[in-house]
């Protein structure tokens, strides 16, 4: 199928990168669960040699996500962490990366405990402040690695402004777009250079697959990443590729409902007497509400709120019935978590305190259930 150049977002999500299966006409790309391909003769094959190097299901997903993020090419990996790690292979010993200080704990762990000993250097700054980014740049800085909104403080970075600043210093901008999803913001169109996702979250959307993807804008990054994906081999398998490809078809409708549910729940929590603070970019008291309105389509599915203390969090969390206590986010079902003990346990306590991750902070990943049921569950748990 040839999509028009002006095909709109939902149409791109459903159709981009996919053709009816040439042998049967199956409208859905099959799961090519094969490790190798029979060759017609020496050096004669159909473009498929070995499952790590080429897989039609994975390649359909890669074309699909490249189109959704408006990139030149995409490469799918076994997890979001594997995708982020693949980006570091572009660096050389002595190179430096400036990173959002409130980045995902696993990213911090990878940078500090796996990659630093190879001579890479990372500086963590509040990327919502352009002056802080600029001060952190050194002549060895190669990447600015941004998360916006951050997890769980939901701080935003002005992407066009950060990209403009980074490019003046010859620095490439990577955006981990996991938290927003490409429905809400498309960093490449906003001037950034590389997007990375944990597809485990909104892109797949059904909590049944772990994966990651790198989306590239510049041609000169593409061949290098193709080489690394094959050489290091942390590929996404065919079954998981198929699941994510199914997930992206419904991304727009899931995100519309996610946005609506999350805004309603954030407003509900903001007026709740047992809640000391609500952080959500769609509330007018969020310090970057104006930027959120400008940069995002809706305000996303993550809400953080504070119940005042660890003791109170320990009382409230086991009482949820509909919302499940679990790590991860971006699925159709609503999840709650306690960042200090769960997702951010690998971040040292003093860094947690500096970022604002208090012991009473609870994060909700809002699903697409009926919002009245979600409100009732919150009320009974907080009561
Ligand atoms: C923002 C963000 N980036 C990356 C990752 C890592 O992805 P994965 O768990 O698929 O390796 C996560 C996981 O929670 C995340 O929240």
């Amino acid at each position: 199928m040839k999509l028009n150049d002006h095909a709109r977002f939902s149409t791109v999500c459903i159709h981009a990168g996919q053709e009816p299966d040439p042998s049967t006409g199956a409208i859905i790309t099959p799961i090519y669960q094969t490790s190798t391909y029979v060759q017609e003769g020496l050096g004669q094959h159909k473009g498929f040699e070995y499952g790590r190097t080429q897989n039609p299901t994975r390649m359909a997903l890669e074309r699909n996500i490249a189109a959704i993020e408006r990139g030149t090419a995409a490469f799918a990996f076994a997890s979001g962490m594997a995708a982020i790690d693949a980006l570091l292979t572009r660096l050389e010993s002595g190179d430096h990366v400036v990173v959002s200080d409130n980045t995902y704990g696993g990213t911090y762990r990878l940078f500090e405990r796996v990659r630093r000993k190879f001579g890479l250097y990372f500086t963590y700054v509040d990327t919502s402040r352009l002056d802080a980014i600029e001060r952190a740049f050194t002549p060895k800085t190669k990447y600015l690695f941004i998360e916006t909104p951050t997890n769980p403080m939901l701080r935003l970075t002005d992407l066009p402004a950060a990209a403009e600043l980074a490019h003046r210093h010859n620095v490439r901008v990577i955006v981990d777009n996991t938290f927003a999803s490409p429905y809400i913001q498309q960093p490449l169109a906003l001037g950034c250079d590389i997007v990375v996702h944990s597809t485990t979250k909104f892109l797949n959307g059904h909590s049944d697959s772990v994966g990651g993807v790198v989306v590239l804008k510049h041609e000169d990054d593409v061949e290098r990443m193709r080489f690394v994906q094959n050489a290091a081999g942390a590929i996404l398998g065919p079954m998981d590729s198929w699941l994510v490809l199914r997930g992206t078809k419904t991304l727009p409708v899931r995100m519309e409902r996610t946005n609506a549910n999350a805004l309603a729940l954030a407003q509900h929590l903001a007026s709740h007497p047992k809640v000391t603070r609500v952080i959500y970019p769609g509330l007018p008291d969020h310090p970057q509400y104006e930027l959120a309105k400008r940069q995002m389509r809706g305000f996303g599915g993550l809400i953080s709120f504070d119940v005042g203390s660890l003791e109170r969090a320990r009382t409230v969390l086991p009482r949820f019935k509909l919302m499940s206590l679990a790590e991860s986010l971006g699925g159709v079902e609503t999840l709650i978590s306690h960042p200090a003990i769960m997702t951010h346990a690998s971040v040292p306590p003093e860094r947690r305190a500096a970022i604002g991750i208090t012991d009473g902070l609870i994060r909700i990943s809002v699903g697409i259930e009926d919002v009245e049921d979600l409100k009732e569950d919150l009320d009974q748990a907080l009561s």
Side-chain angles (χ1 to χ4, degrees):
M1 174 175 314
K2 177 89 181 80
L3 281 181
N4 286 332
D5 289 343
H6 65 268
R8 292 160 183 84
F9 188 75
S10 298
T11 312
V12 170
C13 287
I14 293 169
H15 295 289
Q18 297 151 83
E19 298 289 341
D21 181 50
S23 56
T24 64
I27 192 163
I28 295 299
T29 304
I31 305 165
Y32 283 89
Q33 195 74 41
T34 187
S35 62
T36 193
Y37 307 87
V38 177
Q39 307 197 5
E40 288 136 32
L42 271 183
Q44 275 181 286
H45 54 74
K46 298 183 166 73
F48 295 90
E49 295 147 290
Y50 184 59
R52 169 163 34 77
T53 322
Q54 305 104 351
N55 179 280
T57 321
R58 189 181 81 224
M59 289 157 78
L61 173 68
E62 292 171 340
R63 289 191 298 269
N64 178 251
I65 296 183
I68 291 174
E69 279 286 10
R70 297 163 73 177
T72 302
F75 295 92
F77 290 88
S79 68
M81 291 321 305
I84 294 171
D85 199 36
L87 287 169
L88 299 182
T89 61
R90 189 75 204 246
L91 304 180
E92 312 220 333
S93 176
D95 282 347
H96 176 246
V97 184
V98 175
V99 187
S100 293
D101 61 355
N102 180 206
T103 195
Y104 168 60
T107 303
Y108 177 78
R109 180 176 54 199
L110 171 72
F111 290 173
E112 291 303 311
R113 295 179 52 194
V114 181
R115 290 299 168 198
R116 190 178 272 278
K117 69 167 185 265
F118 291 94
L120 300 182
Y121 295 91
F122 303 90
T123 303
Y124 302 87
V125 302
D126 176 357
T127 50
S128 70
R129 291 183 36 216
L130 294 178
D131 59 325
I133 298 177
E134 190 156 32
R135 267 202 309 278
F137 282 154
T138 76
K140 300 293 275 178
T141 308
K142 292 292 184 323
Y143 284 145
L144 170 62
F145 186 99
I146 298 173
E147 265 183 54
T148 178
T150 59
N151 170 28
M153 301 311 290
L154 304 174
R155 212 158 45 201
L156 309 184
T157 295
D158 184 332
L159 291 178
E164 201 265 323
L165 171 66
H167 292 160
R168 264 196 276 129
H169 291 259
N170 226 0
V171 171
R172 288 221 157 148
V173 182
I174 302 173
V175 178
D176 183 335
N177 205 23
T178 301
F179 253 54
S181 92
Y183 174 88
I184 286 181
Q185 72 198 5
Q186 293 169 340
L188 301 184
L190 295 174
C192 303
D193 305 291
I194 297 170
V195 161
V196 66
H197 277 277
S198 166
T199 60
T200 316
K201 313 299 186 317
F202 289 106
L203 285 178
N204 180 52
H206 292 76
S207 311
D208 51 12
S209 153
V210 171
V213 70
V214 168
V215 191
L216 303 167
K217 180 182 197 166
H218 305 289
E219 286 287 354
D220 57 332
D221 284 335
V222 172
E223 280 321 305
R224 171 77 198 162
M225 188 52 63
R226 195 186 311 286
F227 173 79
V228 166
Q229 185 194 39
N230 181 51
I235 48 156
L236 190 65
M239 177 72 197
D240 289 294
S241 298
W242 185 87
L243 285 167
V244 182
L245 196 52
R246 185 195 54 173
T248 57
K249 289 180 190 294
T250 57
L251 179 71
V253 284
R254 285 187 284 107
M255 293 313 298
E256 275 164 26
R257 173 67 87 91
T258 302
N259 275 340
N261 276 3
L263 182 60
L265 279 194
Q267 287 164 343
H268 186 69
L269 280 165
S271 61
H272 201 290
K274 295 273 175 64
V275 173
T276 59
R277 178 173 61 145
V278 183
I279 309 170
Y280 186 65
L283 294 180
D285 69 353
H286 187 285
Q288 293 162 299
Y289 178 58
E290 291 305 321
L291 173 61
K293 282 197 291 186
R294 199 166 66 236
Q295 182 162 283
M296 300 167 76
R297 172 151 63 138
F299 304 103
L302 281 304
I303 305 170
S304 294
F305 67 100
D306 206 313
V307 290
S309 67
L310 181 59
E311 201 189 351
R312 289 179 117 175
R314 281 195 194 282
T315 310
V316 168
L317 285 166
R319 297 173 59 128
F320 283 97
K321 292 184 178 146
L322 182 59
M323 304 187 190
S324 305
L325 182 67
E327 296 199 1
S328 203
L329 60 112
V332 290
E333 56 287 287
T334 299
L335 303 181
I336 43 161
S337 67
H338 186 268
I341 292 179
M342 296 168 72
T343 45
H344 285 64
S346 55
V347 178
E350 60 283 0
R351 268 184 52 79
R352 283 205 302 267
I355 295 164
I357 305 175
T358 54
D359 287 348
L361 200 73
I362 293 175
R363 188 195 77 188
I364 314 182
S365 167
V366 181
I368 62 171
E369 298 96 336
D370 195 305
V371 72
E372 293 308 318
D373 291 324
L374 296 174
K375 281 186 196 165
E376 272 173 32
D377 197 34
L378 268 177
D379 287 346
Q380 65 79 23
L382 287 165
S383 69

